[in-house]
């Protein structure tokens, strides 16, 4: 009987050791999963920052060239306005004279299609 109870004790101890090893393995697995998740998150963040940096660089290049276009267009517009203003001031006097002469010089004439009734 003692040998049977001793065998049962050994089986219980073996079962307890197995259970402890299983729990320890589960803890290691949990730690490893947590570590892998943290590493993946760090890698994703690093990749995201790298891509955002590339995007900002490309955006700056594109927007910079658009900025140059807008400056050129602004300069051309200013120059055109300046030319039109100077043209207006130089031609205004002559145009006013022509307009007033056309309005004020009235020459009464008979229309060519007018038939005089006899």
């Amino acid at each position: 009987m003692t040998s049977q109870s001793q065998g049962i004790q050994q089986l219980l101890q073996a079962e307890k050791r197995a259970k402890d090893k299983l729990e320890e393995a589960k803890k290691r697995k949990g730690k490893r999963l947590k570590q892998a998740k943290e590493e993946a998150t760090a890698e994703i963040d690093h990749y995201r920052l790298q891509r955002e940096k590339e995007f900002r660089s490309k955006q700056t290049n594109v927007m910079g060239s658009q900025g140059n276009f807008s400056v050129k267009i602004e300069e051309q517009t200013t120059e055109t306005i300046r030319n039109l203003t100077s043209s207006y001031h130089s031609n205004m006097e002559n145009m006013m004279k022509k307009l007033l002469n056309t309005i004020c010089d009235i020459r009464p004439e008979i229309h060519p299609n007018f038939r005089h009734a006899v």
Side-chain angles (χ1 to χ4, degrees):
M1 283 275 194
T2 51
S3 68
Q4 281 183 351
S5 97
Q6 207 174 27
I8 292 175
Q9 287 295 326
Q10 287 177 346
L11 283 174
L12 289 173
Q13 287 175 356
E15 185 179 344
K16 185 176 180 186
R17 283 193 307 261
K19 188 187 243 185
D20 290 342
K21 284 185 180 184
L22 186 61
E23 286 179 17
E24 188 178 319
K26 283 182 181 179
K27 287 180 184 177
R28 281 195 311 254
K29 181 181 176 185
K31 285 181 184 179
R32 180 63 188 128
L33 282 173
K34 186 176 179 182
Q35 182 183 5
K37 192 180 225 181
E38 290 172 356
E39 289 173 0
T41 304
E43 190 174 331
I44 289 170
D45 289 342
H46 176 70
Y47 180 75
R48 182 181 297 128
L49 289 174
Q50 180 184 2
R51 296 299 289 177
E52 284 178 1
K53 184 178 179 182
E54 290 174 10
F55 173 74
R56 285 190 197 111
S57 173
K58 289 180 182 180
Q59 186 179 25
T60 303
N61 290 339
V62 170
M63 292 306 246
S65 63
Q66 286 180 353
N68 293 339
F69 288 136
S70 66
V71 169
K72 288 178 184 177
I73 290 171
E74 187 69 31
E75 289 174 356
Q76 289 174 349
T77 304
T78 305
E79 184 65 28
T80 303
I81 290 172
R82 195 176 311 127
N83 290 339
L84 289 173
T85 305
S86 67
S87 175
Y88 166 77
H89 288 296
S90 65
N91 295 323
M92 180 182 66
E93 188 70 29
N94 289 334
M95 284 307 297
M96 288 301 285
K97 285 179 183 178
K98 285 182 183 180
L99 184 62
L100 286 174
N101 284 337
T102 303
I103 292 173
C104 293
D105 282 347
I106 300 174
R107 295 185 199 132
E109 297 176 357
I110 296 177
H111 196 274
N113 292 333
F114 178 73
R115 293 185 190 164
H116 187 58
V118 193

